[in-house]
Amino acid sequence: MDKKYYQLLKAQFTSKEAVLTEIINLSAICELPKATEHFMSDVHGEYDAFNHVLRNGSGSIKEKLRECFPEISATELSSLATLIYYPQEKLDLEFNRQTKATFENDCRQKLIQLLATVQFVGRKYTRSKVRKAFPEKFRYILEELINEAQATKDKQDYFDAILQKLQDLGELPSLIIALADTIRRLTVDHLHIVGDIYDRGPHPDKIIDRLMKMPSVDVQWGNHDIVWMAAFSGSSVAMMNVIRICSRYGNLDILEETYGINLRSLLAYAAEYYQPSPAFEPRLTEEGSLSLSEKELLNQLQQAAAILQFKLESQLIIRRPDFQLAHRDVLHKINFDKQTIEVEGKTYPLENFSAPTIDPKQPERLTTEEETIVHHLLKNFRCSNKLRDHVQFLQEKGAMYLRYNGNLLIHGCLPLHENGDFKSFRLADKAYSGRVLLDFFDQEVRTCLAHPEESTDLATDIMWYLWVGECSSLFGKTAMTTFERYYIKDKTTHIEKKNPYYQLREHPEVIVRILENFDLPQDGHLVNGHTPIKEKNGENPIKAEGKLIVIDGGFSKAYQKETGIAGYTLLYNSYGIQLVAHQPFSTVKEAVEKGSDIISVKRLVQEVKERKRVKNTNIGQKLIENIQDLEYLFEHYESY
Ligand SMILES: O=P(O)(O)OC[C@H]1O[C@](O)(COP(=O)(O)O)[C@@H](O)[C@@H]1O
Ligand SMILES: [Mn+2]
């Protein structure tokens, strides 16, 4: 085996010198500063805000500009930063504001500044990586310009001549755009999305399209991502939930237009059986965006989807006693004559409860009409090419958790008991807890995705468990009270009690124990999304003496009233970890015209004692192994 391996390795290098060159090259890379990681979570379909934070690298771009041009004024810095975030839009704006001559002159100045910036941000990479970051069609010219920009005075005329030529050819704007793209690309090297791309906001699809184009990205699945993946791969209850949430937030376009799902029969059915009801008013962030009749139809659709969801959920609960969800089989707790329901031993009246298609003797049963509709919709979901591509992306780049450069990333939680022990999920005669539980869930998700034609197998049902189950690391609460919030007035029934994890995660020793369970060093960090941090109530996103960071600040517009902020993100560069708080994002137009950024504060979570180098990272560890193999090959070159 070893022999074969070294023979293959040797085949890549034509001479001993080539091996030596590679050893030197890799060793040098190991000594470079660690590249910047960027963490975002709970973006919930808010594409514009996501895109903005991505473009400004959570403030990294401005920081680099400040270091690169210490003498620059705040206004000029802001203008240059905007050009890097939105080059096309900013150039269009300047073009319309200025005369041709001043515009061209301005472009030349900006190009020179951007060349210096590329050089500055590229310092911590190899030359080859910087070269590859340039768009291919401008690679040669940009390399030439960067070299000449640093040239001595003697070559000033040569440099000026190139610029003049580019100006005459009208190519300066294209080069500016190429440079801006490269600067953004080099400033943040890797992006982590700690879950919940889908639901509430209008454009999760655009977010995924964007992520698919990024060179280095990973995703930790959130509960809202899992239900979409489940809807694609055969879960009828998850599909109804997805439709219910889309109608609740006025987002039918994503279903009908983006994913090509035909809702016609469901809409007609909803309009036939349901009357608009106050509990089902759609939650819209933009007033006046829909007509009254559109709102009414959404209302009816949400009701129909909710009742179908409860029916299908009841069927699942009955076929999966192991899931221990019997107490959540709400339809079987209803007294249909009295219009009451029993929740945890107490009886409550039902408000505006309308379920014209439910047979009280068999409340979980679908009518023939409903069977047809559900069957047809499932097929639509499964046949959507675009949804398939997006789910495939989430499968390839995603997982239940990620261990990366000593940190652990999990969307929700690690289910715990009050005393801090890992809580077990029992299935058949097996119990799963801690990392083993998350590995088990991860495997089941992949099994489900491999068989989209299966609708009631264990793996598909586990997808639903991940949405509502007490031991789900993505949910982290005892019960999801969707039914209660729609139909019971008494708000105490609406409370979703959180797993003890959410109290215990304040303590560093708890986090250390979790990190150990995942085979990670004690000085690592745990990063969570999922629970919006209510900053306006004084909640702190940095917990357990800095060992745990929660970065769900609420990109979701519908939640910003509660959080008082528009999201947190995290940056981890060679100097340490920084938490960044963001203000609500308005529009791209305003960002370009006013140069407004949405960053409010940055807080240092951890400053490293010694600057982190590539050799201290996961990639670095792999490089070190490669170097060792190459050194062995170098010494024994002739034997292979
Ligand atoms: O605000 P809505 O649409 O009623 O949704 C509330 C539901 O969303 C959840 O918070 C789950 O969504 P998150 O993962 O975004 O928290 C449930 O626990 C809760 O029942
Ligand atoms: Mn979540």
Side-chain angles (χ1 to χ4, degrees), residues 371-388:
E371 290 275 7
T372 313
I373 293 173
V374 169
H375 177 78
H376 161 82
L377 282 169
L378 266 183
K379 204 165 141 204
N380 261 250
F381 270 77
R382 204 172 54 230
C383 293
S384 162
N385 289 339
K386 180 125 184 159
L387 184 57
R388 189 201 49 229

Side-chain angles (χ1 to χ4, degrees), residues 50-69:
F50 159 83
N51 184 34
H52 185 78
V53 173
L54 204 62
R55 284 174 180 272
N56 73 12
S58 283
S60 314
I61 301 267
K62 266 199 179 157
E63 210 162 279
K64 290 281 180 211
L65 289 177
R66 259 182 230 115
E67 285 172 43
C68 184
F69 305 106

Side-chain angles (χ1 to χ4, degrees), residues 143-327:
E143 271 197 290
E144 188 68 6
L145 280 171
I146 284 181
N147 289 337
E148 295 313 323
Q150 320 155 46
T152 53
K153 274 213 152 55
D154 306 344
K155 285 184 100 181
Q156 188 65 42
D157 291 347
Y158 171 67
F159 180 68
D160 286 345
I162 304 181
L163 284 195
Q164 189 58 50
K165 194 82 221 147
L166 288 166
Q167 181 177 324
D168 296 343
L169 294 170
E171 281 295 315
L172 288 180
S174 307
L175 279 169
I176 286 178
I177 293 170
L179 279 170
D181 292 348
T182 308
I183 292 166
R184 294 198 312 276
R185 162 83 194 82
L186 291 175
T187 306
V188 171
D189 187 59
H190 185 86
L191 177 67
H192 305 285
I193 301 286
V194 195
D196 278 359
I197 297 167
Y198 276 98
D199 288 332
R200 303 197 176 121
H203 291 302
D205 55 309
K206 281 168 84 175
I207 297 177
I208 299 192
D209 282 342
R210 184 67 197 276
L211 292 174
M212 284 166 88
K213 291 199 197 101
M214 296 193 60
S216 194
V217 62
D218 55 59
V219 178
Q220 292 70 58
W221 300 319
N223 45 338
H224 289 272
D225 308 319
I226 283 288
V227 280
W228 279 81
M229 291 155 79
F232 168 75
S233 35
S235 168
S236 48
V237 58
M239 176 185 74
M240 274 307 152
N241 184 53
V242 156
I243 297 174
R244 180 183 64 80
I245 297 179
C246 284
S247 46
R248 181 165 169 75
Y249 287 88
N251 291 330
L252 293 195
D253 280 0
I254 176 150
L255 289 172
E256 299 190 285
E257 288 178 20
T258 310
Y259 290 137
I261 286 154
N262 186 346
L263 293 177
R264 216 158 353 128
S265 57
L266 183 65
L267 282 166
Y269 158 88
E272 183 182 340
Y273 289 96
Y274 293 91
Q275 291 304 314
S277 159
F280 290 86
E281 291 265 300
R283 296 181 67 171
L284 304 172
T285 47
E286 273 169 52
E287 287 303 320
S289 56
L290 291 177
S291 69
L292 181 63
S293 65
E294 283 170 325
K295 280 196 220 162
E296 286 187 349
L297 192 55
L298 285 174
N299 187 315
Q300 291 161 304
L301 181 61
Q302 195 189 153
Q303 286 187 71
I307 294 294
L308 286 169
Q309 175 187 323
F310 299 131
K311 283 188 175 195
L312 292 161
E313 184 173 34
S314 174
Q315 293 178 10
L316 182 147
I317 293 172
I318 294 166
R319 75 173 167 263
R320 296 287 165 209
D322 273 2
F323 287 6
Q324 303 205 4
L325 286 169
H327 62 296

Side-chain angles (χ1 to χ4, degrees), residues 42 44 195-196 200 222-224 411-412 467 474 529-531 552:
D42 297 84
H44 281 301
D196 278 359
R200 303 197 176 121
N223 45 338
H224 289 272
H411 175 69
W467 175 249
L474 303 184
H530 189 52
T531 47
D552 178 6

Side-chain angles (χ1 to χ4, degrees), residues 415 423-426 437 441 465 469-474 477:
K423 190 173 164 70
S424 296
F425 174 60
R426 287 170 204 282
L437 174 66
F441 284 147
Y465 185 86
E470 199 176 339
C471 284
S472 160
S473 53
L474 303 184
K477 298 174 193 169

